[in-house]
Amino acid sequence: MKKALEIILYYLAKIILWRYKPQIIGVTGSVGKTSTKEAIYAVLKEKFKVRRNIKNYNNEIGVPLTIIGAKAGGRNIFLWLAVFFKALVVAIYWPYPKVIVLEMGADKPGDIKYLIKLAPCHIGIITAVGENPVHLEFFKNVEHLIREKANIITHLKSNDFAVINTDDASLKLLVEKTKASLYTIGQNEKALIRVSDINYTLDLERAMAEESAGISFKVNYQGHTVPFKIMNALGEPQVYAALCAIACGLILKMNLVEISAALKNYKPPKGRMNLLKGIKDTIIIDDSYNSSPLACEKALEVLSKVQVTGRKIACLGNMEELGDNSKKAHRELGRFIAESGVDILITVGDKALNMAEAAKEKNMTAGTVLSYTTSNEASRPVQDEIHRGDIILIKGSQSARMEIITKEIMANPELAEDLLVRQEKSWAKNN
């Protein structure tokens, strides 16, 4: 039934794209896809009629649904019939978007090829891959994963555009593998769109009180330099998301000043390095949406830089979909944690135990490393552990359900539905 559904949605979406010929922006990578998609949407919606994926609609079902403009029907055949009917109506006549921003996931070989065959891109973007990316479970190695993701730029034509983060060493060689016009982004001097002067709000307690916490940076493009700021979030992935959005804006003939103004309306997605007020006058860096070794390392780097009067606590869950590399990746991260200035490490899940063991081997004492089986089991001890002035980084793969801990220690749990990931009833049932 699922295969039949895929085929029907594929051809309905294909007809709609043929009918309206929107410009398609495809985004893939092992980290930062959703933030990049949202940043692009925030910029382009100021000038164009734009649509982007909702939720996790980044696969062979979700991408066609995004093109149609419908939600999944679940197990209800009548809801699916309504989706098919809407697709036919849209194909006949509908006020359709000029631009569609599509996050494209690659869980297994062939995923990106399938999605770009359905929706060939005008702009193809690879955010980052890193040395220990997620989704390796069904790939032989990192090179095969990169080759799959590279399809998003190798399929482009000469009148299309490729956006590549050349600060990611694993992506540098891809610049020669596309016929499209190339927009490189990064901190290196050769990047076409170069970022500099990245500043995180270091005195977080004062900034949170003044509601001015965030990231500021400067962007240079063709000799012009413009300042940018992202509020209520931290971390380099947000900066690179903004750079991809800037590239898309420039490609579609917006100027840097227009783009800077538009990015002020960008709100980082829930659970992606968002700053929240915690109980006992603490601060939470909520990065609970998902995790990979690269993203976790970047989050820990931010934690090491910010200043607070209390302790720095890392509350980290299992990282999934790492295949045979799982134990090694968790242990490497544990060693990194021990050297990054973290005062207390709290792990959640069986795989994260490798993290805890490696941290202790690197001289973190047993009293500063605590391990729990589930986020439910950990939530009360975490609440008891934190003190006034502490800052707590919360991160883990979706299966770890780290948002349960965030909700337990946030100052305003009544706002959880607006501020946290996985607050829908379907997730609550699995709590």
Side-chain angles (χ1 to χ4, degrees):
M1 287 295 292
K2 184 184 176 184
K3 191 62 182 177
L5 180 62
E6 283 178 25
I7 293 170
I8 294 169
L9 290 173
Y10 179 95
Y11 284 105
L12 288 172
K14 200 76 174 164
I15 291 168
I16 290 170
L17 292 179
W18 172 82
R19 169 78 169 80
Y20 297 101
K21 298 178 177 59
Q23 291 194 332
I24 295 171
I25 300 173
V27 181
T28 195
S30 293
V31 62
K33 294 189 297 297
T34 303
S35 295
T36 298
K37 173 197 69 179
E38 292 297 330
I40 294 169
Y41 177 76
V43 168
L44 298 186
K45 73 176 183 178
E46 297 298 315
K47 198 166 184 178
F48 306 95
K49 184 177 173 66
V50 186
R51 177 183 296 165
R52 87 290 202 198
N53 322 62
I54 59 170
K55 299 182 181 178
N56 59 343
Y57 282 24
N58 65 355
N59 56 20
E60 60 273 15
I61 299 291
V63 169
L65 285 172
T66 302
I67 293 166
I68 293 166
K71 293 182 180 180
R75 297 184 179 182
N76 189 322
I77 190 170
F78 296 105
L79 290 178
W80 282 114
L81 289 173
V83 170
F84 301 155
F85 179 75
K86 180 177 181 180
L88 293 172
V89 172
V90 171
I92 295 169
Y93 179 76
W94 199 264
Y96 203 75
K98 297 293 183 184
V99 181
I100 301 181
V101 186
L102 295 174
E103 177 184 333
M104 296 182 174
D107 293 337
K108 60 185 183 301
D111 280 350
I112 298 297
K113 278 188 177 181
Y114 181 91
L115 295 175
I116 59 175
K117 185 179 178 183
L118 164 64
C121 303
H122 176 55
I123 302 174
I125 299 171
I126 304 180
T127 57
V129 174
E131 295 179 2
N132 292 305
V134 292
H135 306 314
L136 268 182
E137 204 167 0
F138 298 104
F139 291 90
K140 292 180 181 178
N141 50 44
V142 175
E143 287 70 29
H144 281 91
L145 176 63
I146 293 172
R147 198 176 304 157
E148 179 64 33
K149 292 182 182 292
N151 284 302
I152 206 165
I153 62 167
T154 56
H155 86 288
L156 298 172
K157 298 177 182 176
S158 58
N159 59 340
D160 295 326
F161 298 87
V163 179
I164 297 177
N165 171 14
T166 52
D167 286 347
D168 187 325
S170 60
L171 299 182
K172 283 183 179 179
L173 295 177
L174 296 183
V175 299
E176 301 173 359
K177 296 184 180 295
T178 181
K179 299 175 183 176
S181 297
L182 190 62
Y183 275 62
T184 54
I185 63 169
Q187 299 182 54
N188 67 83
E189 292 185 359
K190 293 183 180 180
L192 180 63
I193 302 171
R194 184 169 63 86
V195 64
S196 64
D197 301 291
I198 299 174
N199 287 306
Y200 305 115
T201 302
L202 294 180
D203 188 347
L204 268 186
E205 287 164 318
R206 179 178 175 182
M208 291 291 282
E210 296 175 357
E211 297 185 347
S212 61
I215 317 164
S216 62
F217 52 95
K218 293 179 181 178
V219 170
N220 181 278
Y221 173 69
Q222 294 185 341
H224 300 284
T225 302
V226 173
F228 286 77
K229 180 146 191 180
I230 297 172
M231 299 297 295
N232 299 318
L234 297 175
E236 278 191 2
Q238 298 298 343
V239 176
Y240 286 98
L243 290 176
C244 291
I246 292 164
C248 290
L250 291 170
I251 290 167
L252 296 180
K253 309 302 182 185
M254 295 176 71
N255 63 53
L256 279 179
V257 176
E258 287 177 315
I259 296 167
S260 178
L263 268 175
K264 289 179 181 177
N265 299 319
Y266 165 58
K267 293 182 179 180
K270 299 174 184 178
R272 276 86 162 185
M273 296 296 287
N274 297 128
L275 292 168
L276 303 174
K277 292 180 180 179
I279 58 172
K280 304 180 185 178
D281 292 323
T282 59
I283 298 169
I284 302 168
I285 303 177
D286 178 37
D287 204 22
S288 58
Y289 173 72
N290 210 346
S291 190
S292 68
L294 175 62
C296 198
E297 192 171 308
K298 294 292 185 184
L300 287 161
E301 286 175 358
V302 172
L303 182 64
S304 71
K305 291 177 182 177
V306 294
Q307 298 169 1
V308 289
T309 55
R311 302 162 302 168
K312 296 180 179 181
I313 300 173
C315 190
L316 307 176
N318 284 349
M319 296 182 294
E320 304 290 358
E321 299 179 317
L322 295 174
D324 294 338
N325 201 38
S326 180
K327 183 176 181 179
K328 178 186 175 186
H330 281 87
R331 287 188 59 81
E332 285 178 353
L333 196 56
R335 290 190 286 269
F336 182 86
I337 291 164
E339 297 172 347
S340 66
V342 169
D343 296 299
I344 297 175
L345 169 63
I346 299 171
T347 68
V348 176
D350 56 342
K351 297 181 179 68
L353 276 174
N354 293 299
M355 217 186 286
E357 290 168 2
K360 284 186 277 190
E361 289 169 10
K362 271 284 185 178
N363 297 324
M364 280 194 80
T365 61
T368 61
V369 181
L370 309 172
S371 297
Y372 300 92
T373 305
T374 67
S375 54
N376 277 310
E377 180 188 325
S379 58
R380 176 60 66 172
V382 171
Q383 183 180 141
D384 294 338
E385 180 64 40
I386 61 177
H387 302 153
R388 182 175 184 177
D390 290 349
I391 182 166
I392 309 100
L393 168 67
I394 301 179
K395 187 168 183 63
S397 285
Q398 292 193 37
S399 62
R401 299 297 307 276
M402 300 300 285
E403 76 281 356
I404 292 171
I405 299 173
T406 306
K407 187 175 181 179
E408 183 72 21
I409 65 170
M410 66 190 293
N412 303 104
E414 70 276 7
L415 300 178
E417 192 171 333
D418 296 325
L419 299 177
L420 305 186
V421 294
R422 294 182 284 274
Q423 298 303 299
E424 300 89 347
K425 291 180 179 178
S426 57
W427 283 100
K429 291 177 182 177
N430 298 320
N431 186 344

